[in-house]
Amino acid sequence: MSRRKDQAGTFELLTRLPQQIVSLAKVEYENAKREVVSKAKKAGIGAGAIVIALFFLFFMLEALVIAAIAALALVWPWWLAALVVAAGLLLLAAAAILAGIALIKRGNPVPEETLERVGGDISAISEVRVNADAHAPRPHQMPRVGEEGNWR
């Protein structure tokens, strides 16, 4: 089995390997940056839309609070109606804060696709190393100086 002249030999391929690993690392780093920026932009646009919606919801809720106080003021004194509605709003605010904290803790922008590719690259490199080690002579298998079959 001979190789063609346009094919690289083992030594040439091994000399290219460090440069290729560095190039691969740079490409994966750029992919990770691009993926994180893309996810961050989408999150920023989503956050802006939520802020606008909250602005309108604030005024809608203000009108509903006034209506609730007015409705309860028909049965109770107005100060008691306002106090009950304020306590209800405090409970709603506490629930929203707890839910927001839980969502923020879960929303870590991790470049999952890039991490999967890098993991595949690392496993491929470790397979190459394991295969290369399987074919390398072990120190205890090498002939000693002066024994039959050694290099002179």
Side-chain angles (χ1 to χ4, degrees):
M1 208 164 131
S2 64
R3 75 181 157 90
R4 297 186 321 217
K5 291 188 179 200
D6 61 339
Q7 292 179 329
T10 304
F11 183 72
E12 186 178 345
L13 291 174
L14 287 175
T15 58
R16 289 185 200 166
L17 187 61
Q19 177 61 31
Q20 290 175 342
I21 290 173
V22 169
S23 297
L24 178 64
K26 287 179 182 179
V27 167
E28 292 298 351
Y29 174 74
E30 292 301 320
N31 285 339
K33 272 191 352 184
R34 193 176 312 113
E35 190 176 342
V36 168
V37 167
S38 171
K39 287 183 178 184
K41 281 182 184 178
K42 289 177 184 175
I45 292 170
I50 289 173
V51 167
I52 291 169
L54 289 174
F55 176 76
F56 291 116
L57 279 175
F58 174 75
F59 290 110
M60 185 213 56
L61 288 175
E62 187 177 333
L64 288 176
V65 167
I66 292 169
I69 292 171
L72 288 176
L74 296 173
V75 181
W76 296 332
W78 68 268
W79 61 269
L80 182 59
L83 193 62
V84 168
V85 170
L89 290 174
L90 181 63
L91 290 175
L92 289 173
I97 287 172
L98 292 175
I101 289 171
L103 288 173
I104 287 172
K105 285 182 180 178
R106 280 194 310 168
N108 191 8
V110 176
E112 296 165 357
E113 296 170 8
T114 302
L115 290 176
E116 286 179 22
R117 283 193 307 269
V118 169
D121 295 343
I122 290 173
S123 66
I125 289 172
S126 66
E127 287 177 17
V128 168
R129 189 187 69 207
V130 168
N131 288 337
D133 289 345
H135 298 294
R138 304 277 184 241
H140 60 46
Q141 294 173 339
M142 295 181 73
R144 296 182 189 180
V145 176
E147 289 183 359
E148 248 182 83
N150 67 347
W151 303 285
R152 293 181 193 220

